[in-house]
């Protein structure tokens, strides 16, 4: 097999026009919103806390994550033959899992940051120092790379000699390995244990940290805790949109289930859109900094 044929989301012309408008607006919001967050955090010394440092990195990862799939999908919506070369398909698969796993680890680190700020406020600056933040972010990228390289190596060692039609709008592990000309039982379980368990473990760690936060707030509730709880509620919305579809897709055998391309839209398109909306509209400090940045640029 030299190339794969992507079936996309739909073959109906009227739906393709609608999808193009929706996904183009979503992609534009992801780029503009997350770039605005990065510029605002980098330009305002008041936003130098670990939470905003991690938020800045999350915005960068969201830009990378949606850029892996959205531009190609927008072009393919008006292409008669949605072909992608084998090498390009594998590259897309690699970078998708690279940034996707990195985001999972980073969201877990952000939950730990909120847990430390609320449950151990007196030790927060010592625990979450700038050096510690850099180490944690580097570990997130390293973990994402390790996860992705394992998935990619397990995929490219499979023989592809027959069908080459992928029932999706991008190359991902489940639809690609279904096309292999061999028994993939062992391979798919290795991949499911890799991607699925990472998703599940990170999600359970997140739920545990938020449980501790809620218990702490219930015991000693102050105005600062209410502010922190509001931030955590926003975080939970992003986490739910991102983790639940990933757990559903990857924590199971791939070959026995139909395509999940419509579910993939949630974590590849709409989850990155929610990040700038939630962290700007629900955060007064960020909105104030953006207003000051706007007045300086006028």
């Amino acid at each position: 097999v030299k190339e794969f044929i992507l079936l996309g989301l739909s073959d109906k012309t009227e739906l393709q026009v609608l999808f193009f408008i929706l996904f183009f607006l979503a992609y534009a919001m992801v780029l503009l919103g997350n770039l605005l967050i990065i510029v605002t955090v980098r330009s305002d010394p008041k936003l130098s806390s670990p939470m905003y440092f991690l938020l800045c990195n999350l915005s960068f990862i969201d830009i990378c994550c949606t850029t892996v799939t959205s531009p190609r999908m927008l072009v393919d919506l008006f292409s008669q033959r949605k072909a992608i070369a084998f090498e390009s398909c594998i590259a897309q698969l690699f970078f998708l899992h690279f940034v996707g796993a990195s985001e999972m680890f980073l969201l877990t680190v952000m939950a730990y940051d909120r847990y430390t700020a609320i449950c151990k406020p007196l030790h927060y600056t010592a625990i979450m120092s700038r050096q510690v933040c850099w180490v944690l972010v580097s570990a997130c990228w390293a973990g994402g790379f390790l996860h992705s390289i394992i998935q990619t190596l397990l995929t490219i060692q499979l023989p592809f000699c027959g069908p080459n039609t992928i029932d999706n709008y991008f190359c991902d592990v489940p639809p690609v390995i279904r096309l292999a000309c061999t028994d993939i039982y062992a391979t798919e379980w290795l991949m499911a244990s890799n991607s699925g368990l990472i998703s599940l473990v990170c999600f359970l760690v997140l739920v545990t940290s938020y449980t501790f936060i809620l218990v702490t707030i219930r015991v000693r509730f102050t105005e600062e805790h209410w502010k922190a709880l509001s931030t955590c509620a926003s975080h939970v919305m992003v986490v739910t949109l991102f983790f639940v579809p990933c757990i559903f897709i990857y924590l199971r055998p791939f070959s026995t289930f139909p395509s999940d391309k419509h579910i993939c839209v949630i974590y590849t398109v709409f989850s990155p859109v929610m990040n700038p909306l939630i962290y700007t509209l629900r955060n007064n400090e960020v909105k104030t900094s953006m207003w000051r940045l706007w007045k300086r640029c006028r």
Side-chain angles (χ1 to χ4, degrees), residues 3 10 21 25 44 52 83 95 102 127 171 191 240 243 268 274 285:
E3 65 179 15
S10 174
I21 296 173
L25 291 176
D44 193 341
Y52 293 112
F95 285 108
S102 299
I127 295 175
C171 290
M191 290 181 167
T240 303
F243 276 93
T268 59
M274 297 301 295
E285 289 181 338

Side-chain angles (χ1 to χ4, degrees), residues 18 31-33 55 71 79 99 115 120 142 156 171 174 200 215 286 291:
L18 177 62
L31 293 181
L32 296 176
L55 174 60
S79 300
V99 295
Y115 162 78
K120 300 181 179 180
I156 61 177
C171 290
L200 181 61
V215 170
V286 175
W291 178 246

Side-chain angles (χ1 to χ4, degrees), residues 96-109 139-152 154 173 188-207 239 242-252 254:
L96 178 69
H97 280 265
F98 180 25
V99 295
S102 299
E103 181 164 356
M104 288 184 182
F105 296 137
L106 184 61
L107 288 169
T108 307
V109 170
C140 291
W141 284 104
F145 177 82
L146 181 62
H147 158 76
S148 183
I149 201 68
I150 291 174
Q151 297 290 89
T152 305
L154 287 173
V173 168
E188 67 179 346
W189 275 108
L190 285 173
M191 290 181 167
S193 62
N194 187 351
S195 297
L197 283 180
I198 287 177
S199 304
L200 181 61
V201 170
C202 288
F203 185 69
L204 291 177
V205 171
L206 286 161
V207 171
V239 164
F242 187 74
F243 276 93
V244 172
C246 290
I247 293 173
F248 176 77
I249 290 174
Y250 296 111
L251 193 62
R252 64 185 192 183
F254 302 146

